[in-house]
Amino acid sequence: QVQLQESGPGLVKPLQTLSLTCTVSGGSITTNYYYWNWIRQPPGKGLEWMGAIAYSGSTYYSPSLKSRTSISRDTSKNQFTLQLSSVTPEDTAVYYCAADFAPTSGIRTTYGAYDYWGQGTQVTVSS
């Protein structure tokens, strides 16, 4: 059973860079056909797919966030990381990491199909 756990600061100041880490246990982030995703949910709004890093190390980003988003990984720690730059209060949300096993389709942004989710972490952007 794959388990994911988000970690990072709960409060970030405007214009700073938000950095979150997802630690994976019960499976390797380099296992073929797994895609490791970041999704967020602002208060009162729906889920928003932000981006992903594949088992191969390839990265994918939402077009609306691409200019501010970077996703990387540390295979030695079995972790992947989200960085979101120049944050504003509109980036306040619960941030989730999730795993998708997709051997035939490749990257999927339809998070309803994802296999495993972290519990989520609240990030507030405020001075």
Side-chain angles (χ1 to χ4, degrees):
Q1 178 81 359
V2 176
Q3 294 182 316
L4 300 94
Q5 178 66 59
E6 305 91 349
S7 60
L11 180 65
V12 182
K13 289 182 174 9
L15 301 181
Q16 290 187 341
T17 296
L18 179 163
S19 184
L20 296 174
T21 296
C22 184
T23 300
V24 179
S25 58
S28 171
I29 62 172
T30 61
T31 299
N32 282 353
Y33 309 123
Y34 268 93
Y35 296 81
W36 306 92
N37 298 270
W38 286 100
I39 305 101
R40 68 180 181 179
Q41 186 168 28
K45 297 184 179 181
L47 293 167
E48 177 185 23
W49 181 81
M50 301 181 68
I53 187 164
Y55 59 97
S56 61
S58 297
T59 53
Y60 308 84
Y61 299 105
S62 167
S64 65
L65 296 170
K66 184 175 183 178
S67 64
R68 299 195 292 133
T69 307
S70 178
I71 298 175
S72 59
R73 67 181 185 176
D74 185 335
T75 57
S76 68
K77 296 181 180 178
N78 216 35
Q79 296 174 332
F80 61 106
T81 299
L82 169 74
Q83 291 192 310
L84 182 66
S85 63
S86 303
V87 296
T88 72
E90 285 67 42
D91 293 309
T92 294
V94 177
Y95 286 75
Y96 299 92
C97 56
D100 183 26
F101 180 65
T104 57
S105 65
I107 183 70
R108 294 187 293 192
T109 62
T110 51
Y111 39 78
Y114 292 171
D115 299 278
Y116 306 101
W117 289 73
Q119 64 182 23
T121 187
Q122 172 70 47
V123 177
T124 301
V125 179
S126 175
S127 55

